Amino acid sequence: MLAAATCPPCSTGTWNAPGKGGAQADIVLTAPQDGVPLLFIEVDNCHETAEELADKLEKYARFFKRKVKDTDGKERPMWRTRWTVPGGRYGDAPHPPVLLVFNRIGERNPNRTVPRLMELTRHLWQGERQRGGHHIYDRRIPIIAVGLNQLREHGPAGPVFARFGRSGPQTLLEAIGNPRFEAAQAREAEEAKARAAAYQAEVRRAAREHDAKQAAEREARRPACTGCGAKFTDARWEAVQPKDWGAAKDSHPQLCDTCKRAAVAAAQERQEPVRGEAAPDDFWPAPERPVCTECGAAFTDERWKATKRVGWTASPAKNPSLCGDCDQRFEDLDRAWGVGPRQEERDQEQDQAVPEQKTTGWLSRLRR
């Protein structure tokens, strides 16, 4: 879109009534769809001196700095109340560019006018050099020069535009923009992305090392079975942990699952109460199977059960220290000599009343 010169920059006055001393652009170009949001064009027929052109650029500078209240009551640069232009990047908000088009009609040579004009207006266009090699043009005017003959020959897209402060011709979009700054920003973005990726990788590595250390410390604390030496599984380890008050405790906390099953099965086979669990008819379970004091044979399960003590009372068996066979032989000897259960009870009562006399012989040894 081309706007005619009826919209001049106004350093004084208003849009409808501009004051004296304002600069009037020959053409105002707005083509945001082509990458040119706003461009002021000055056409010089080579009649004006460098000083006269510099004075005109000073008027542009005053206009760009001028601020007025917008329709919303907020103060903004005056040129932004008429043209919509994207805001500048952080730290780099230049003024709209001014394009000088030289038409070789007059007697003045642009090749001598332009260098002189650059020196006179350096404070208007010179940017601040950054460490990355690019410049920041905050509140500076991008001033570009081009010859009309070159423009006709190469067209508006050709590399024929010379921006003040830069070496070599550029395309129009490069001249009014800041490609080195954009490249520097892209590099910084990539470097920041790489740093973030490296940091995340370091965090993940540290987390893996921490997890591995904790896992190693936990494995070092893992109990081992006292029966087979195998390490406890996680489930078995959890099962033998101390429980709350009143909760049932594990019967074999030092054994793995396999050894515990074997121990429980062996205890059940011997009808032996599981360690740590009292039998219904016993207060303290016998630690191991009894052996006959006469013949040395181990008690059978039936004899063991018959001779077990109940609570704090004595064993109900007559001879709890003898196995079933020896106990039966003693019973047979008693009957052979005519000693029955009632007679034996009377003998016991008499023995308590009369002091026992020492006797010798094999029978007395058997009865004892």
Side-chain angles (χ1 to χ4, degrees):
M1 173 182 175
L2 290 179
T6 54
C7 300
C10 303
S11 54
T12 60
T14 63
W15 289 114
N16 296 325
K20 294 182 179 180
Q24 181 173 327
D26 295 320
I27 300 174
V28 178
L29 173 64
T30 58
Q33 70 279 2
D34 295 323
V36 185
L38 180 62
L39 178 64
F40 294 94
I41 302 175
E42 287 286 335
V43 179
D44 179 40
N45 291 324
C46 298
H47 294 304
E48 296 178 302
T49 64
E51 287 73 14
E52 290 172 330
L53 293 175
D55 182 64
K56 186 177 292 188
L57 292 174
E58 290 285 356
K59 294 177 182 179
Y60 273 98
R62 290 193 296 270
F63 165 65
F64 292 146
K65 293 178 182 178
R66 185 181 178 187
K67 292 184 177 182
V68 295
K69 285 188 177 181
D70 206 345
T71 54
D72 58 0
K74 295 183 179 180
E75 193 176 62
R76 290 186 177 86
M78 186 176 182
W79 63 271
R80 284 190 175 275
T81 63
R82 171 159 293 195
W83 296 287
T84 302
V85 178
R89 303 176 186 86
Y90 178 75
D92 184 30
H95 295 311
V98 177
L99 175 61
L100 302 176
V101 181
F102 291 95
N103 183 20
R104 294 293 300 270
I105 296 177
E107 69 282 1
R108 301 194 178 276
N109 187 351
N111 294 330
R112 290 194 294 270
T113 302
V114 170
R116 174 61 179 165
L117 181 60
M118 290 175 59
E119 291 298 325
L120 294 173
T121 59
R122 182 176 297 273
H123 61 286
L124 299 179
W125 55 261
Q126 188 172 40
E128 183 178 350
R129 186 177 178 85
Q130 306 298 304
R131 289 185 301 177
H134 60 281
H135 289 76
I136 294 295
Y137 300 99
D138 191 38
R139 292 185 297 276
R140 296 292 186 269
I141 303 175
I143 302 175
I144 303 104
V146 65
L148 186 58
N149 293 334
Q150 291 178 320
L151 193 59
R152 287 179 181 146
E153 181 180 354
H154 299 281
V160 294
F161 298 88
R163 177 164 170 171
F164 286 11
R166 295 181 183 176
S167 60
Q170 297 177 302
T171 63
L172 179 61
L173 295 182
E174 291 175 341
I176 65 176
N178 196 348
R180 288 187 178 181
F181 182 36
E182 294 173 356
Q185 283 189 316
R187 287 194 302 270
E188 290 180 2
E190 287 298 323
E191 291 172 358
K193 184 178 179 181
R195 288 193 299 270
Y199 174 74
Q200 292 299 326
E202 180 64 20
V203 169
R204 289 191 294 269
R205 184 193 64 79
R208 287 194 299 268
E209 290 183 355
H210 180 265
D211 293 343
K213 182 179 178 181
Q214 284 192 330
E217 292 175 352
R218 186 173 186 272
E219 285 302 315
R221 298 192 305 269
R222 184 183 295 272
C225 177
T226 57
C228 64
K231 291 284 188 178
F232 279 21
T233 62
D234 289 343
R236 181 57 182 159
W237 192 3
E238 178 66 24
V240 301
Q241 292 297 316
K243 303 296 189 299
D244 295 335
W245 180 263
K249 297 181 180 179
D250 193 272
S251 59
H252 295 76
Q254 303 301 324
L255 299 180
C256 64
D257 285 325
T258 303
C259 293
K260 176 186 175 181
R261 286 193 294 269
V264 171
Q268 291 175 350
E269 183 179 352
R270 297 192 309 266
Q271 296 183 356
E272 180 183 27
V274 179
R275 185 177 62 181
E277 298 176 0
D281 58 347
D282 198 1
F283 189 76
W284 296 107
E288 56 186 24
R289 186 179 296 272
V291 178
C292 179
T293 58
E294 184 68 25
C295 65
F299 279 24
T300 63
D301 291 342
E302 184 179 359
R303 180 59 179 169
W304 189 8
K305 186 175 182 180
T307 59
K308 282 197 305 183
R309 298 177 54 170
V310 180
W312 295 100
T313 62
S315 172
K318 182 178 180 181
N319 298 296
S321 62
L322 300 180
C323 66
D325 293 340
C326 292
D327 182 63
Q328 185 63 42
R329 284 198 298 272
F330 270 71
E331 290 289 337
D332 293 341
L333 285 173
D334 287 340
R335 292 190 185 94
W337 291 97
V339 181
R342 293 183 179 178
Q343 179 63 37
E344 191 170 359
E345 291 178 1
R346 289 194 293 271
D347 291 346
Q348 288 178 358
E349 293 176 357
Q350 186 177 0
D351 291 343
Q352 291 176 359
V354 180
E356 181 181 359
Q357 297 181 357
K358 235 179 185 182
T359 60
T360 58
W362 65 272
L363 182 58
S364 63
R365 288 198 300 273
L366 286 176
R367 290 180 62 81
R368 292 181 184 178

